Amino acid sequence: MGIIAFIIIGLIAGLIARAILPGKQSMGLVATTLLGMVGSLVGGLIGSLFQRNGRLFDLHASGIIMSVVGSILVLLLVGAAGRRRVHA
């Protein structure tokens, strides 16, 4: 059940991140889900930086809020890389 929950959280986080950021993101449902899943891992990494349990850079899925924050960061990085490649 863990992987199904990870996929569903990824889809929700990806949809919320795409709704928060303005502009046109041309991605389908699968790409949005992958965005949310990667964002969840990035959010988990960011969240582990603020924990004091000794495991600093553990890669784990995070809650929905940090998943959305991570998805927004990933979406901004992908958008910046896409703009840079078009102009170069």
Side-chain angles (χ1 to χ4, degrees), residues 8-19:
I8 291 171
I9 296 265
L11 174 63
I12 293 169
L15 288 172
I16 292 172
R18 286 185 57 200

Side-chain angles (χ1 to χ4, degrees), residues 41 43-62:
L41 293 174
L45 178 67
I46 292 170
S48 71
L49 293 174
F50 298 106
Q51 293 178 355
R52 296 181 189 255
N53 61 3
R55 299 184 332 234
L56 184 60
F57 290 109
D58 281 349
L59 200 61
H60 56 70
S62 61

Side-chain angles (χ1 to χ4, degrees), residues 1-76:
M1 190 71 180
I3 190 72
I4 304 255
F6 185 55
I7 291 171
I8 291 171
I9 296 265
L11 174 63
I12 293 169
L15 288 172
I16 292 172
R18 286 185 57 200
I20 289 174
L21 284 180
K24 182 181 180 215
Q25 298 98 11
S26 59
M27 35 173 96
L29 198 58
V30 174
T32 302
T33 303
L34 290 174
L35 166 73
M37 291 169 72
V38 170
S40 179
L41 293 174
V42 170
L45 178 67
I46 292 170
S48 71
L49 293 174
F50 298 106
Q51 293 178 355
R52 296 181 189 255
N53 61 3
R55 299 184 332 234
L56 184 60
F57 290 109
D58 281 349
L59 200 61
H60 56 70
S62 61
I64 190 71
I65 293 173
M66 288 307 289
S67 296
V68 171
V69 169
S71 297
I72 289 172
L73 288 175
V74 170
L75 198 55
L76 287 172

